[in-house]
Amino acid sequence: MTGRRSFWLFTAIAFGYAFLYVPIITLIIYSFNDSRLVTVWGGFSTRWYVELIQNERILAALWLSVRVATITATLAVILGTLAALTLVRFTRFRTRMLFAGMVAAPLVMPEVILGLSGLLMFVTLEQVIGWPAGRGMTTITIAHVTFTSAFVAVIVQSRLSQLDVSLEEAAMDLGARPWKVFLVIILPIISPALAAGWLLGFTLSMDDLVIASFVSGPGATTLPMVVYSSVRLGVSPQVNALATIIVVVVATGVITAGWLLHRQASH
């Protein structure tokens, strides 16, 4: 009975991993396909990587997405941390429930609604005060910060709620000012949550298509928008090459982080 249960458990796990990773492996293999048809193998070739490097449209979109994601993640960590501190440390102000609802709203609101509301806001602001002049990197960044800050706030809030308040009280009893308590005691303790929030914000910004489609203009096209437009006309082998590079970079980062954590734990 135990052997049969182990067999079915192993089968379910193997099927789950195959369902997740076989398409990715297939994509990587076909990125080296010489044929223009992504479903027909025409021999091994790296021509699509060469064409990808020479594709200025994709490279410009990639650079824009990286800049937007970096700024978005940084601002989201700052705003999300401040929101989390407010919710955890200040529990008795009148509008706390309203503030908590506003912080959590982007988590449950459809991206179509966020994108449409952002578009209407930017158009109105441009008509009233003349800023932002057109829609581009600035509007995309503001829209991304709006919804990624909520994710960071949830992560940091969960870490702050587990923080031992006696550590802060002991530091203040010894004469430390509040800002020094935050920098010396609270910040190092919540730094893993900040790093996780930054990475999540960066990933969400890089991956976003719907919101960016609403708040961007003709001169600002992010990488997901370029990939989506390319796929609509038929999957290009260059997209496979681009996806392979992203998978390799992410996998390298995950393996490196895991190795560093294992090394730190062993010491």
Side-chain angles (χ1 to χ4, degrees), residues 191-232:
S191 58
L194 297 180
W198 194 94
L199 292 173
L200 180 60
F202 185 90
T203 302
L204 290 173
S205 178
M206 283 288 295
D207 186 59
D208 175 67
L209 171 64
V210 178
I211 296 177
S213 298
F214 278 96
V215 300
S216 64
T221 305
T222 61
L223 183 62
M225 296 170 63
V226 172
V227 172
Y228 179 70
S229 62
S230 300
V231 171
R232 290 183 63 186

Side-chain angles (χ1 to χ4, degrees), residues 82-255:
L82 293 176
L85 284 170
T86 302
L87 292 173
V88 174
R89 291 291 182 263
F90 304 96
T91 58
R92 294 186 178 181
F93 59 95
R94 291 184 178 179
T95 57
R96 185 182 186 281
M97 294 300 296
L98 176 62
F99 180 73
M102 293 177 63
V103 170
L107 296 173
V108 296
M109 193 172 297
E111 291 187 354
V112 174
I113 303 300
L114 292 175
L116 180 59
S117 60
L119 172 63
L120 295 176
M121 181 187 70
F122 293 135
V123 171
T124 303
L125 286 175
E126 185 178 4
Q127 293 176 350
V128 174
I129 63 176
W131 182 89
R135 296 185 299 278
M137 178 179 172
T138 301
T139 56
I140 297 174
T141 303
I142 294 174
H144 283 185
V145 170
T146 301
F147 83 94
T148 55
S149 297
F151 292 89
V152 177
V154 171
I155 296 174
V156 178
Q157 183 181 358
S158 64
R159 185 67 185 94
L160 284 173
S161 61
Q162 300 173 359
L163 185 64
D164 189 0
V165 184
S166 62
L167 296 175
E168 304 174 47
E169 295 175 349
M172 287 188 288
D173 289 340
L174 294 174
R177 295 183 178 273
W179 64 268
K180 190 170 184 180
V181 172
F182 176 78
L183 293 177
V184 177
I185 297 196
I186 299 178
L187 193 60
I189 295 177
I190 67 173
S191 58
L194 297 180
W198 194 94
L199 292 173
L200 180 60
F202 185 90
T203 302
L204 290 173
S205 178
M206 283 288 295
D207 186 59
D208 175 67
L209 171 64
V210 178
I211 296 177
S213 298
F214 278 96
V215 300
S216 64
T221 305
T222 61
L223 183 62
M225 296 170 63
V226 172
V227 172
Y228 179 70
S229 62
S230 300
V231 171
R232 290 183 63 186
L233 300 175
V235 180
S236 171
Q238 293 185 35
V239 175
N240 291 346
L242 176 63
T244 300
I245 294 174
I246 295 175
V247 168
V248 171
V249 171
V250 172
T252 303
V254 171
I255 293 173

